[in-house]
Amino acid sequence: MDPLLPAIEIETTAAPRFSVIWMHGLGADGSDFEPVVPELGLDHGPGMRFIFPHAPAIPVTCNGGYVMPAWYDIISLDSSSRTVDEAGIVRSRQAIRDLMARENQRGVPCSRIFLAGFSQGGAIAYTTALTHAEPLAGVIALSTYMPTQKLIADEAAAVNQALPIFAAHGSEDDVVSIELGIRARDFLTARGHRVEWHEYPMPHSICIEEIHDVGQWLKQAMTGVSNRS
């Protein structure tokens, strides 16, 4: 196993029963979503460990080869598509799986792990969860897209067919167009996945209404996991 990605960790209680691994967007780092935790309204729920990993710094082709934190290289982009480095996606998927394995060692099974991500981080959340060999608790996909439908279709894991998915997008997003988010949603629903879809009047960012909705969704998803246990 390669060294684990460095990460910021926040626990809402001692000995948390659930974990959320939350991936940031291109050019950011794990601190980007750290302030979200107290806004989720989870103070009185089951204990949770939030893990905000830092992506490695790599050259990003679409930004002129500039070195920045990134989960994979983006070769080119336009308003309706992305050309991405699939090998980089696979490497990042493994890095997230390594973090998940550590959560297993800490006493949190995959069935109590949520994967979350914004923009490029959401693409990794989708890819990792939908192709994972063990059932997960759910996916939170914010302002993101499906980076490679073929990889997911070829390696889809039947155990995550019923995976709860919260997907949200800004209607004014000029970085990752809402059309890309809708395309991902439609791909998933066509394959039988349950997707709770939200749109907000915002650009490529998050808003407090969205975070409150994520918090409510997490509460419901955790209740569902607890009822099945």
Side-chain angles (χ1 to χ4, degrees):
M1 180 184 294
D2 291 332
L4 292 174
L5 291 172
I8 296 168
E9 294 192 3
I10 299 175
E11 295 183 357
T12 62
T13 63
R17 297 175 58 219
F18 290 86
S19 297
V20 181
I21 302 175
W22 198 314
M23 283 79 79
H24 60 76
L26 179 66
D29 63 28
S31 67
D32 213 28
F33 282 87
E34 185 180 0
V36 160
V37 175
E39 304 297 335
L40 291 168
L42 302 174
D43 295 345
H44 304 295
M48 300 196 76
R49 177 183 294 118
F50 286 86
I51 302 162
F52 300 100
H54 306 299
I58 63 172
V60 177
T61 303
C62 70
N63 285 341
Y66 188 80
V67 175
M68 62 179 66
W71 298 106
Y72 52 88
D73 188 18
I74 300 175
I75 312 303
S76 65
L77 54 83
D78 59 38
S79 61
S80 61
S81 67
R82 295 287 189 276
T83 304
V84 301
D85 170 27
E86 187 171 310
I89 291 172
V90 171
R91 283 193 297 272
S92 285
R93 177 178 66 178
Q94 185 58 52
I96 300 306
R97 285 178 173 170
D98 291 344
L99 290 175
M100 294 164 62
R102 183 178 64 174
E103 291 310 288
N104 298 161
Q105 295 168 1
R106 289 163 142 179
V108 182
C110 285
S111 61
R112 292 179 179 267
I113 296 176
F114 294 89
L115 297 185
F118 174 81
S119 194
Q120 198 187 52
I124 295 299
Y126 268 149
T127 303
T128 306
L130 296 170
T131 63
H132 197 63
E134 297 177 72
L136 301 177
V139 170
I140 300 164
L142 308 179
S143 302
T144 189
Y145 61 101
M146 197 70 67
T148 165
Q149 292 186 0
K150 185 178 186 303
L151 173 64
I152 290 172
D154 289 348
E155 300 185 19
V159 293
N160 279 305
Q161 183 66 40
L163 185 73
I165 299 171
F166 179 100
H169 220 105
S171 58
E172 301 165 20
D173 195 328
D174 61 354
V175 176
V176 177
S177 69
I178 193 170
E179 287 77 14
L180 286 175
I182 291 171
R183 189 180 302 168
R185 178 201 67 189
D186 292 349
F187 170 78
L188 292 168
T189 55
R191 295 179 62 83
H193 291 282
R194 296 180 293 149
V195 182
E196 182 176 317
W197 174 257
H198 295 257
E199 295 180 18
Y200 305 93
M202 64 179 184
H204 194 59
S205 62
I206 59 172
C207 63
I208 194 64
E209 180 186 359
E210 178 182 33
I211 296 308
H212 289 167
D213 289 342
V214 169
Q216 288 297 316
W217 181 87
L218 273 171
K219 292 176 187 176
Q220 294 170 3
M222 286 189 290
T223 298
V225 170
S226 297
N227 289 341
R228 293 193 297 272
S229 299

